[in-house]
Amino acid sequence: MFTLRKVFLALTIVILFNACSSSSSDDNPTSGTDSYDRGELLVNLADNIIIPAFQDLNSKLKTLQTDKDNFIAIPDQTNLETLRGSWFAAYKVWQSVEMFNIGKAESLLYGSQMNVYPTSIQEVEANITNGSYDLAHPHNIDAVGFPAVDYLLYGVAVDDAAIVTKYTDAKYQTYLSDVIDQMQALTEIVLNDWTSSYRDTFVSETGNTATSALNKMTNDYVFYFEKGLRANKIGIPAGNFSSTPLPDTVEGLYSKIYSQELAEDALSASLDVFNGKPYASTTIGESFKTYLEFLDRNDLVSKITTQFSDAKTKLNGLNANFYDQINTDNTKMTEAYDALQLIVVSLKVDMLQAFDVSVDYVDADGD
């Protein structure tokens, strides 16, 4: 299992690097191949969806830091439960942010430092034992972020009492603190870049070129849906890319009860972006959906909307703990994968063709 886990982790890294398109921007933006106002779509994405989501994540991570400090100061069951709650609250918001691998997030490989799972117990424990580590080093991408905290709060000992006892050890305190502080610091860097300068660059790049903002953002969105949601959350654990299922690769492995909820949040966030629904309100703005409608592709809009609804139904029918779902009735997992795959085809083939946008990443899983 350890070897297989490493294989899939290596594949994920390769895909992430291949997915990162050039960081250069359009110096002289040109109009797209149609008369749709791409700028309005970019403004809605930046001002009403992306920046508010990062602001909420940063706020949730600051709460996580505070609760972490309280737990380290007084390691008891009450503070452990509070810390777990703030971890999960931030993890839920992360599902609305992970798809935005553009700008500073892309150059920092932010996603790789926040949510590579499963975490490596061996690397986490080696770091703790050694007491010397560079959490930003690529070697540690599976020893940091939300999955590492999942292990540190739920899997580091056999029960809650033993977990609390672990945190009387200064080395465990330091590592937990360093991982959470890094998550918040990285998020603040990305958020500050958006609010200080990148937002204006992003909304100005209205052209239809490989490096224009909408083309890159659309590719990032489709890539996330295909790899981050469909493959990582469902396909890899269910065994769609291996000879047998790999239940140990599920998101939320150690907390045991959050796999389904995180996947549902990710699907809902993806649908909201497609529809142009702002992160913190109900007012609908310009979006992939309205762009397709402008192009008189209402048939495709209806098809994608139905497919999202069908996929939601499939996810709703799964066990809260995907590890248990795979081990008891994996057919439901593969059916959920199939439902998500239909959306991938509609987005990656039909929608990108309608927008005259080329795929900018390498498909490495053979689907």
Side-chain angles (χ1 to χ4, degrees):
M1 178 61 70
F2 178 75
T3 301
L4 284 171
R5 188 194 65 78
K6 282 293 186 182
V7 169
F8 280 109
L9 178 58
L11 177 60
T12 299
I13 297 170
V14 169
I15 292 171
L16 282 169
F17 274 102
N18 286 331
C20 290
S21 56
S22 170
S23 60
S24 62
S25 62
D26 289 351
D27 293 327
N28 297 294
T30 59
S31 61
T33 55
D34 53 66
S35 60
Y36 179 75
D37 189 346
R38 287 169 155 231
E40 288 300 312
L41 197 168
L42 292 171
V43 167
N44 188 44
L45 279 170
D47 294 349
N48 300 321
I49 300 175
I50 299 174
I51 292 175
F54 273 112
Q55 289 171 331
D56 191 22
L57 178 61
N58 196 44
S59 175
K60 293 293 194 298
L61 288 171
K62 286 182 177 180
T63 299
L64 180 62
Q65 282 182 304
T66 298
D67 292 341
K68 170 262 296 180
D69 291 341
N70 291 338
F71 174 65
I72 289 173
I74 305 175
D76 61 20
Q77 184 66 34
T78 298
N79 285 337
L80 176 62
E81 292 298 335
T82 300
L83 180 56
R84 286 170 168 174
S86 57
W87 164 80
F88 184 56
Y91 211 173
K92 285 172 65 64
V93 178
W94 169 255
Q95 308 304 318
S96 294
V97 165
E98 187 170 0
M99 70 187 82
F100 303 129
N101 182 45
I102 194 168
K104 187 64 72 173
E106 179 182 349
S107 63
L108 289 176
L109 293 180
Y110 174 63
S112 296
Q113 298 183 73
M114 295 290 284
N115 198 38
V116 170
Y117 55 92
T119 202
S120 169
I121 297 175
Q122 292 85 351
E123 288 171 16
V124 169
E125 292 291 348
N127 286 342
I128 292 171
T129 299
N130 294 335
S132 177
Y133 39 77
D134 177 4
L135 295 184
H137 193 281
H139 176 76
N140 275 318
I141 63 170
D142 58 349
V144 295
F146 286 104
V149 179
D150 180 33
Y151 168 70
L152 290 167
L153 298 186
Y154 289 92
V156 76
V158 295
D159 56 33
D160 285 0
I163 290 171
V164 169
T165 299
K166 280 281 188 181
Y167 288 96
T168 61
D169 184 332
K171 286 188 174 182
Y172 280 89
Q173 293 177 358
T174 299
Y175 196 74
L176 176 67
S177 185
D178 288 348
V179 169
I180 291 174
D181 287 350
Q182 184 205 37
M183 293 165 66
Q184 191 279 322
L186 287 170
T187 301
E188 191 148 343
I189 290 171
V190 175
L191 172 59
N192 287 343
D193 187 60
W194 270 102
T195 56
S196 66
S197 61
Y198 186 63
R199 181 267 179 200
D200 291 343
T201 301
F202 180 79
V203 303
S204 71
E205 294 177 358
T206 58
N208 187 357
T209 70
T211 58
S212 64
L214 186 60
N215 291 41
K216 291 174 68 177
M217 184 66 251
T218 306
N219 267 284
D220 287 346
Y221 172 78
V222 175
F223 172 81
Y224 167 75
F225 195 95
E226 180 179 4
K227 310 299 181 182
L229 201 171
R230 179 212 60 157
N232 290 351
K233 296 182 190 297
I234 306 294
I236 291 174
N240 287 82
F241 307 101
S242 56
S243 58
T244 59
L246 302 171
D248 287 335
T249 65
V250 300
E251 192 173 28
L253 175 64
Y254 298 99
S255 47
K256 300 185 184 301
I257 58 172
Y258 297 127
S259 308
Q260 181 203 39
E261 189 168 348
L262 293 173
E264 288 182 331
D265 286 347
L267 184 69
S268 294
S270 299
L271 179 59
D272 286 347
V273 170
F274 177 78
N275 286 330
K277 180 182 178 298
Y279 180 77
S281 71
T282 58
T283 304
I284 303 298
E286 291 300 311
S287 64
F288 298 139
K289 175 177 179 287
T290 60
Y291 193 175
L292 288 172
E293 290 171 342
F294 175 88
L295 297 172
D296 198 24
R297 290 304 310 272
N298 293 286
D299 58 327
L300 182 55
V301 169
S302 178
K303 179 181 179 181
I304 292 173
T305 301
T306 298
Q307 289 172 339
F308 265 102
S309 178
D310 291 344
K312 181 179 180 180
T313 298
K314 293 296 185 183
L315 289 181
N316 283 342
L318 298 176
N319 192 300
N321 179 4
F322 282 174
Y323 181 91
D324 287 346
Q325 182 66 67
I326 292 165
N327 284 313
T328 58
D329 185 0
N330 193 46
T331 298
K332 289 184 177 180
M333 286 286 287
T334 59
E335 289 175 348
Y337 173 88
D338 291 343
L340 293 170
Q341 173 62 13
L342 293 176
I343 303 174
V344 169
V345 174
S346 293
L347 296 176
K348 187 175 181 180
V349 178
D350 300 330
M351 186 176 80
L352 291 189
Q353 286 181 353
F355 294 164
D356 193 25
V357 171
S358 298
V359 176
D360 70 1
Y361 62 89
V362 176
D363 186 351
D365 61 20
D367 61 325

